[in-house]
Amino acid sequence: MTPLFTYFIRLADILSEKGHFRPDAMKRVKATREEEIKKIKKADETEKNEERRAEKEKEKRRERDEKVRGMSTEQQRKFLEKERASDMRKSQKGKTMRA
Amino acid sequence: MYLQDFYAEFFIIPFIVLVVVLHVWGSRKNKRKAKAWIGAMGPVLQKEFACVGFEGKKTDFKEMDFTAGASHVLPGEAIKERSSSEFIAYATGRANIAFVDIKLTMSKRFNPIQRFSETAMGFLFESMPAPKERMEATSFVFDGREGEIVPSLMRAAAEGKPQERFSSKYDGFVWAIVHKEAMKQLRDGRYDLSLTTTRDHAKLPDWATVMSESAEITETMLTPELCKAVESAGENLEALVVSDQPIDQPKT
């Protein structure tokens, strides 16, 4: 074990002495790193888009709730019915298939 | 008051004694192992580093005797007990290396019940392997940044003194020699190793394989001295990793 441990410590010296590679040797390494960075950036972007969408939905819901509260009971009932009808129409739209 | 009333105690007291004895014996055994380790590796560290252990820089550097005291008493400055199954050591003060962190993990000899359940979990769930006894050493190299880290050098830089120093910088890469049995777990568990490809090498023994990003790097890193050292270390070697990437996947 000891020779390996000693070597492990001396690795730092070996690396600083010999650890300079020709550019085309490092090409592959650099390419991998670039790919990884791209992947991470993409994941980040998708996350941000998701967040933005969630935010918008929340906004819409809040607005709708505000409206509902402002109306009287009768109007509220009518409003909710209209909403339910339009929601059903929307889901139906998704289910219809082209012949 | 009859003797029969104390039947329960007749069982419980020996049991308590047994638990206590087991605990003391187990933790002492672990300490003994840790001491044996630092006894063997301490001199190596002392040769390479200016400052071994946690006491801070000593102006009159004296050779530490790592074997002093009873076999289970640790040379407290060199190696510390973090818990009855974990020991840590530290060294600093060397060209090219900022410091070395060492952690010895041992099985919980003092608590056979916990040990048994840990092993059982290792069989049932692949993601939680039974803890093995291992020594992990991490060497944090300067990579050219001594000026930022070492106080005396920082002062020199501030005063405008010239810094003649061979650069400790080197091109970043990920490279490792690993034991084939550990390979899968290392590749899955570590982001930096997942960037490598695995290939056997004729110069290495059968149980070992190389994980590298490029053949050129392997050629440079796999010196005959290293091969010999790996052979003499034997199958106890789990992995030797050189890396400039983090272990967990970065998010930014």
Side-chain angles (χ1 to χ4, degrees), chain B residues 208-219:
Chain B
T209 183
V210 175
M211 300 174 85
S212 169
E213 291 188 272
S214 129
E216 285 237 7
I217 300 181
T218 306
E219 276 311 304

Side-chain angles (χ1 to χ4, degrees), chain A residues 1-10 12-13 15-16 18-22 25-26 29 33 36 40, chain B residues 44 48 94 96-97 137 139 167-173 191 195 213 216 220 223 226 232 244-245 250-251:
Chain A
M1 256 296 152
T2 323
L4 188 63
F5 193 67
T6 318
Y7 194 91
F8 160 70
I9 297 179
R10 302 236 170 100
D13 303 329
L15 285 169
S16 63
K18 296 212 243 151
H20 307 283
F21 301 100
R22 301 175 312 173
M26 293 296 287
V29 179
R33 306 285 152 98
E36 292 290 315
I40 293 171
Chain B
V44 174
E48 303 272 345
R94 185 184 189 281
N96 294 325
I97 300 186
S139 172
S167 176
S168 62
K169 237 183 174 334
Y170 64 92
D171 296 336
F173 61 87
Y191 168 71
L195 303 171
E213 291 188 272
E216 285 237 7
T220 313
T223 63
L226 177 56
S232 74
D244 72 327
Q245 297 288 316
K251 294 287 162 49

